[in-house]
């Protein structure tokens, strides 16, 4: 897999769901979840989706706020059941630069004609133990 120029410039690595990412911040404050796991109160990443690429269906157990920087990302949201269900398509772009994906919601990105760079703020903070792919 060839690393896109912007991924190189921002030191992004391949993400298991597709695209490229790097964590840029984790809150120094932590929270204990009801099941006893400890997480930062929030984390932040860059996420690059190169033109023509998409991500796999996945969900995280925290709220996720997508913030647009460049280009547009179309997300399909597939509900909170055991598997992705009825799909709603939404865009994150410079016209609608913020989008909340509630905890436990199935999501995937669709291919776009141009590269898109977003940040994702996750609260409580992201941990791959809280990440599930369909």
């Amino acid at each position: 897999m060839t690393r896109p120029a912007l991924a190189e410039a921002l030191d992004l690595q391949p993400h298991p769901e597709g695209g490229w990412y790097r964590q840029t911040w984790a809150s120094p404050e932590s929270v204990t979840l009801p099941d006893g796991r400890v997480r930062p109160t929030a984390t932040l990443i860059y996420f690059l989706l190169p033109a023509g690429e998409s991500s796999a269906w996945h969900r995280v157990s925290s709220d996720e706020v997508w913030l647009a920087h460049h280009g547009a990302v179309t997300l399909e949201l597939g509900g909170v059941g055991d598997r992705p269900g009825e799909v709603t398509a939404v865009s994150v772009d410079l016209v609608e630069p913020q989008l909340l994906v509630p905890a436990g919601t199935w999501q995937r990105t669709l291919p776009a004609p141009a590269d898109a760079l977003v940040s994702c703020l996750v609260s409580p903070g992201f941990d791959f133990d809280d990440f599930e792919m369909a």
Side-chain angles (χ1 to χ4, degrees):
M1 170 183 325
T2 303
R3 191 167 166 186
L6 188 54
E8 184 76 30
L10 294 173
D11 194 29
L12 307 181
Q13 303 302 317
H15 197 291
E17 77 189 44
W20 299 79
Y21 83 107
R22 176 173 57 90
Q23 185 178 75
T24 58
W25 175 77
S27 172
E29 302 296 322
S30 62
V31 61
T32 303
L33 303 178
D35 63 6
R37 296 175 297 145
V38 177
R39 300 285 183 263
T41 55
T43 56
L44 183 65
I45 67 166
Y46 279 134
F47 180 73
L48 172 66
L49 191 65
E53 291 188 20
S54 61
S55 70
W57 279 110
H58 67 283
R59 62 180 173 180
V60 297
S61 60
S62 296
D63 288 342
E64 185 173 1
V65 178
W66 287 60
L67 306 161
H69 298 299
H70 175 76
V73 174
T74 300
L75 286 106
E76 287 187 336
L77 305 178
V80 296
D82 291 340
R83 306 300 279 164
E86 185 175 333
V87 172
T88 302
V90 293
S91 291
V92 181
D93 53 33
L94 297 179
V95 175
E96 294 291 334
Q98 296 181 0
L99 172 72
L100 170 66
V101 178
T105 301
W106 289 103
Q107 60 182 295
R108 71 175 175 185
T109 59
L110 299 178
D115 292 355
L117 178 67
V118 299
S119 286
C120 294
L121 177 73
V122 179
S123 180
F126 180 82
D127 187 292
F128 275 104
D129 288 343
D130 305 329
F131 175 81
E132 178 183 4
M133 289 184 57

